[in-house]
Amino acid sequence: MFPIPSPPTLAIDGRTERFPVRRMYCIGRNYADHAKEMGAVPDKGSPIFFLKPADAIVTGDRVRYPPGTNNLHHEVEMVLALGRSGANVPLAEAPALIAGFAVGLDLTRRDLQTAAKAKGNPWDTGKSFDDCAPIGALTLGLPSPDARLTLSVNDVIRQSESIAAMLWSSAEIIALLSELYTLMPGDLIFTGTPAGVGPLLRGDHVVATLVGAADYRATID
Ligand code: MN
């Protein structure tokens, strides 16, 4: 009577098999220059975690401009895919949970997020909406520790930074998250965005890259 939704999946580069997605975790303010551009003081003492719904993934080349905003922002990020479970994972064991990595966009209704911050309200409507998580194909293995992330809009580079600039490393993010949630295979983690976030308009063409991973290209509809 009621249709069963099919689970979202990611392509795996070079394979026909796909990666089934369970949850999407995100960390905020993980690059000092981005924290500063948002008016925050970079602070490694208090990570900000939030989630996006798994069915908000976009793997195709069209992203629907969301309702309820006049200020959709791009945030290019490395996305980690977990292949093993863990709770209270020690730092040294955290990398073993990583199955692969991809480039993704933590799309943000910045006007709604800014209003929520001002009122001390949760970020959900600013961060979680249909099509808020475009992600490229997954590459199995670990990223190079100094792989560069870039985002261009209409052939102009807006964001470019090495993942070595992350305040919390991939292993630290996994260890910290696993103190709050039991991590499972199929979980994705958006690891934060460097400086240069800005608005996207209908018709914009975006290209997101992370060295070692497949590029992601899309048009905003
Ligand atoms: Mn982000």
Side-chain angles (χ1 to χ4, degrees):
M1 182 174 183
F2 300 108
I4 298 171
S6 41
T9 61
L10 279 186
I12 302 174
D13 210 20
R15 303 226 181 170
T16 51
E17 184 189 1
R18 293 179 71 89
F19 182 85
V21 176
R22 174 181 178 261
R23 288 184 186 170
M24 290 198 289
Y25 296 102
C26 309
I27 185 170
R29 297 178 192 159
N30 199 26
Y31 289 80
D33 286 350
H34 171 63
K36 287 178 200 159
E37 76 179 350
M38 298 307 293
V41 177
D43 173 12
K44 215 186 157 185
S46 55
I48 297 166
F49 292 120
F50 55 95
L51 287 90
K52 288 174 180 276
D55 69 351
I57 285 177
V58 182
T59 57
D61 62 0
R62 312 298 291 197
V63 174
R64 292 170 294 172
Y65 194 97
T69 184
N70 291 307
N71 197 17
L72 178 69
H73 267 207
H74 55 77
E75 296 190 356
V76 69
E77 311 200 0
M78 173 173 68
V79 179
L80 299 173
L82 304 189
R84 287 173 52 181
S85 63
N88 298 309
V89 178
L91 193 59
E93 294 173 21
L97 270 66
I98 300 171
F101 60 101
V103 68
L105 295 174
D106 168 15
L107 293 181
T108 302
R109 292 192 280 213
R110 191 71 73 198
D111 40 4
L112 299 193
Q113 186 205 23
T114 301
K117 280 184 188 172
K119 293 177 185 167
N121 285 343
W123 293 7
D124 296 53
T125 58
K127 287 293 194 178
S128 301
F129 48 88
D130 296 337
D131 284 9
C132 70
I135 306 179
L138 196 61
T139 295
L140 299 180
L142 295 175
S144 163
D146 60 353
R148 180 159 288 269
L149 269 174
T150 67
L151 181 82
S152 67
V153 180
N154 304 327
D155 299 321
V156 176
I157 292 179
R158 297 257 189 105
Q159 295 186 267
S160 178
E161 181 59 278
S162 164
I163 61 168
M166 293 196 299
L167 296 174
W168 285 273
S169 68
S170 297
E172 288 174 319
I173 295 168
I174 290 168
L176 286 166
L177 258 184
S178 77
E179 295 175 1
L180 297 167
Y181 305 93
T182 298
L183 302 176
M184 296 294 291
D187 289 346
L188 300 180
I189 304 173
F190 279 74
T191 56
T193 196
V197 302
L200 291 172
L201 303 173
R202 288 185 178 85
D204 279 349
H205 184 62
V206 299
V207 180
T209 71
L210 170 61
V211 172
D215 295 350
Y216 176 80
R217 296 164 185 273
T219 302
I220 309 300
D221 276 342

